[in-house]
Amino acid sequence: MANTIDSKNKRDRLAPRREPYWELLKKGAAIGYRRLESDGEGTWIARWRDDEGKQKYRALGNFKEFDDAAKAARAWVTACEQGASPKVTTVKEVCETYVDALKAEGRTSTAKDAEGRFSRLVYEATIGKLAIDKLKTSNVQKWMNDQIDDDDEADEEDIRRSKDTANRNLATFKAALNLALNNRLVATDAGWKTVKAFPKVGARRKDAFLGMEQRTALMKACPDDLKLLVKAMLLTGARPGELATLNASDFDKRLGCLTLKGKTGARTVAISTAAAAFFAEVGKDKIAAAPMLATSYGQRWNKDSWKKIFKEAVDAAKLPSAVVMYSLRHTAISEMILAGMDSFIVAKLAGTSVAMIEANYGHLKHSVVTAKLDAVAML
């Protein structure tokens, strides 16, 4: 062609214009460079002629080197020649197509579930704006990692559950991407095939519930400062991070309630008479902004300060190694359910959803109902 674009010096001498300067890559395929009016690098575009003689175009973006732009153009042309769609299809569009396909198959509930996941995690996210053929393994892995609950208030069980949820999101996401592959919207699944689910997170830790003797043994094994935190968790079922941020003023002695602040926002909850007596004693003579529960050094608790000594207490009490700080919350919630408390009330006290309570503790609720039914003389 008359104008060459294979070096920066040659491109810099080109006159700015809307029509790209083209260079042939092979028969039926070319790469173009559009010279901008302003200073700086121009943009690249690929062109390919299909079997019907129709020209197809693909914007490639910015490249400093001709070889890099040509490589991207050749990859697009090769994909088109192998049957992939020449048009730009975004990840968001791929997911929308998948939801529509599920609806067309009559899988209404699955479609609703998939659309909910995509609405939260794809449609308005950075990954949703990417072209499907530009999706990289690193993009999908970052998308997975960003779903993990690893803030200062998250304990091991919070992290496990968020990884388990991320795995389900990945399965749905991959199903949409694989449909795009089958529909030839992309030539390869290299951008997502090797992304693996988080291992060993699909089930709650075994032995997470502590019986009364185990609780007593654990309390005896704890140093005095940790013992107060452990007792507070058993009395309230709150998250450890919520109790770590609790101030003396967050306990209302007159009403017998606590104001907890955490990952689900602030909530004021009623507490038992025993819990009220406990917090009244612990918070006695403390100023309003002082931590209600603190280490022996007067500092607020966090994961780093309780993790090691809690593990030592678990070992000293000869409890299962699976017992973690979250086991105390699980134990408290289980006891509430076993006592016959309504799921809505338990969910409000624990700062979670009724759905979560039913999903994880529903079997205990059934046991309570069965016991009550057994007490009724039917025949």
Side-chain angles (χ1 to χ4, degrees):
M1 295 186 178
N3 297 290
T4 55
I5 54 176
D6 59 355
S7 75
K8 187 177 187 306
N9 288 335
K10 293 175 182 177
R11 295 194 296 273
D12 287 344
R13 291 197 294 268
L14 297 173
R17 71 182 194 187
R18 181 175 179 79
E19 173 63 22
Y21 292 89
W22 295 99
E23 184 143 324
L24 191 67
L25 293 174
K26 65 177 185 178
K27 184 178 179 180
I31 183 170
Y33 179 78
R34 181 175 285 119
R35 185 79 165 87
L36 302 177
E37 292 283 353
S38 58
D39 294 335
E41 294 294 325
T43 59
W44 299 86
I45 187 170
R47 186 181 69 197
W48 170 70
R49 183 182 293 108
D50 65 17
D51 294 338
E52 298 177 355
K54 296 179 180 179
Q55 298 279 22
K56 306 295 182 180
Y57 298 89
R58 177 66 182 272
L60 301 175
N62 301 99
F63 291 92
K64 290 185 177 181
E65 301 295 335
F66 171 83
D67 288 346
D68 293 334
K71 181 179 179 181
R74 289 190 179 95
W76 174 73
V77 169
T78 298
C80 292
E81 291 174 339
Q82 292 175 349
S85 172
K87 75 171 187 175
V88 177
T89 304
T90 65
V91 171
K92 177 183 178 181
E93 290 171 331
V94 163
C95 292
E96 290 172 334
T97 298
Y98 176 68
V99 171
D100 289 340
L102 291 173
K103 291 177 180 178
E105 294 173 6
R107 300 167 63 185
T108 307
S109 60
T110 304
K112 184 177 180 180
D113 176 78
E115 190 162 32
R117 295 177 193 274
F118 296 150
S119 296
R120 294 191 303 271
L121 300 166
V122 177
Y123 291 162
E124 302 302 322
T126 300
I127 198 169
K129 298 176 176 63
L130 293 176
I132 179 66
D133 59 352
K134 291 187 177 181
L135 185 65
K136 299 178 181 178
T137 301
S138 58
N139 300 135
V140 182
Q141 191 62 64
K142 182 179 185 302
W143 178 78
M144 282 284 285
N145 294 340
D146 287 346
Q147 298 177 49
I148 306 310
D149 187 354
D150 60 354
D151 59 30
D152 289 340
E153 294 179 9
D155 54 35
E156 292 184 36
E157 182 62 14
D158 288 328
I159 295 172
R160 182 202 68 77
R161 288 177 57 207
S162 63
K163 285 183 176 180
D164 185 31
T165 300
N167 286 349
R168 292 193 290 273
N169 293 334
L170 178 64
T172 303
F173 191 41
K174 278 191 171 184
L177 297 173
N178 287 333
L179 178 62
L181 180 66
N182 292 338
N183 290 341
R184 304 304 295 163
L185 296 178
V186 62
T188 174
D189 59 359
W192 64 88
K193 183 177 181 179
T194 58
V195 178
K196 304 296 184 184
F198 294 109
K200 301 178 181 179
V201 296
R204 178 181 294 280
R205 287 174 174 268
K206 294 180 179 179
D207 301 317
F209 179 83
L210 301 180
M212 190 61 72
E213 291 185 3
Q214 291 176 309
R215 295 173 225 171
T216 300
L218 177 61
M219 295 278 286
K220 288 182 178 179
C222 287
D224 291 341
D225 54 354
L226 182 62
K227 185 183 298 184
L228 295 178
L229 180 60
V230 168
K231 188 172 183 178
M233 287 197 66
L234 289 170
L235 286 171
T236 63
R239 298 178 179 88
E242 293 172 336
L243 293 173
T245 60
L246 193 68
N247 291 330
S249 60
D250 291 326
F251 168 58
D252 189 322
K253 184 178 180 179
R254 183 177 63 86
L255 296 178
C257 60
L258 283 180
T259 298
L260 298 165
K261 307 177 188 71
K263 59 189 294 181
T264 56
R267 67 184 188 280
T268 299
V269 297
I271 55 177
S272 67
T273 302
F278 167 78
F279 285 111
E281 179 61 28
V282 172
K284 186 171 58 178
D285 300 328
K286 288 187 175 181
I287 62 172
M292 176 67 82
L293 302 161
T295 69
S296 57
Y297 300 101
Q299 299 173 329
R300 290 189 184 275
W301 287 102
N302 58 48
K303 284 189 296 183
D304 293 332
S305 59
W306 74 57
K307 187 173 182 179
K308 181 180 179 181
I309 55 177
F310 184 82
K311 182 66 171 65
E312 291 173 347
V314 167
D315 292 341
K318 298 181 179 180
L319 300 180
S321 60
V323 173
V324 294
M325 188 68 84
Y326 190 92
S327 302
L328 305 175
R329 173 174 162 83
H330 172 61
T331 297
I333 294 175
S334 297
E335 289 288 19
M336 293 177 193
I337 295 295
L338 289 169
M341 289 182 65
D342 182 79
S343 295
F344 176 81
I345 296 175
V346 176
K348 180 175 174 58
L349 294 175
T352 188
S353 66
V354 174
M356 193 286 293
I357 293 295
E358 293 293 343
N360 292 281
Y361 301 92
H363 63 290
L364 299 179
K365 195 78 173 178
H366 298 324
S367 297
V368 171
V369 174
T370 298
K372 290 183 178 180
L373 287 171
D374 290 345
V376 178
M378 297 293 187
L379 296 172

